[in-house]
Amino acid sequence: MIVNHVGLRVLDLDRSTRFYEALGFRPALTADIPDGPSARLLRLEEPVGLRATYLVNDGFVLELLAYEHHAGAPVERSMADTGLTHLSLGITDLAEAKALVEELGGEVLGDTDLGVACMVRDPDGQMLELLHVDARPVTP
């Protein structure tokens, strides 16, 4: 078994694509997914209107999902919530990465800044850890 991708529901596909591109991801594919298969797989009522963009970074694939016919709202998850808590992104310049996050509609959680790591939220509220590449705890 291999890890294929991680899916992330977003409210504005273009905005989120720009956000993650600025953090080092590159677009690989954007596709409009037919309602029948997507509704069944995702357990959503038709119509779905799913558009997915796949972004890659160092072998990791991030799938951004936008639904035309299903409303959503930004989330504010806690690190204590069950489930996926955050994505950790290796960066070389923390100050530059934090500036990009704010410039592109995200939020820097300044009280979490440790100098080599800081938590931020993307424009939809998903938690991201910005971690200096030299502080990587595990190498694949």
Side-chain angles (χ1 to χ4, degrees):
M1 179 173 63
I2 64 166
V3 175
N4 188 289
H5 66 272
V6 171
L8 185 59
R9 183 0 174 153
V10 299
L11 298 176
D12 182 325
L13 192 57
D14 292 334
R15 175 187 68 186
S16 293
T17 299
R18 284 190 304 275
F19 181 87
Y20 285 97
E21 281 181 312
L23 293 176
F25 286 83
R26 64 176 176 76
L29 173 70
T30 296
D32 293 310
I33 311 300
D35 278 352
S38 62
R40 182 174 179 189
L41 180 65
L42 303 175
R43 302 177 83 189
L44 295 172
E45 289 187 31
E46 289 188 52
V48 178
L50 171 58
R51 177 166 257 219
T53 292
Y54 295 86
L55 304 165
V56 295
N57 183 320
D58 193 31
F60 176 79
V61 179
L62 179 64
E63 177 190 39
L64 303 179
L65 304 165
Y67 307 122
E68 182 181 349
H69 301 289
H70 288 268
V75 297
E76 186 167 323
R77 294 182 50 83
S78 161
M79 292 295 282
D81 289 343
T82 302
L84 180 66
T85 59
H86 68 288
L87 297 176
S88 182
L89 304 176
I91 49 96
T92 56
D93 186 325
L94 186 58
E96 179 183 354
K98 291 189 313 184
L100 282 170
V101 165
E102 290 185 332
E103 178 184 322
L104 293 166
E107 176 189 7
V108 174
L109 306 178
D111 61 323
T112 68
D113 192 336
L114 302 177
V116 297
C118 182
M119 299 302 289
V120 302
R121 293 187 191 279
D122 79 0
D124 293 306
Q126 176 62 51
M127 295 282 283
L128 305 172
E129 175 187 35
L130 303 179
L131 179 65
H132 194 278
V133 293
D134 291 339
R136 188 175 195 172
V138 176
T139 303

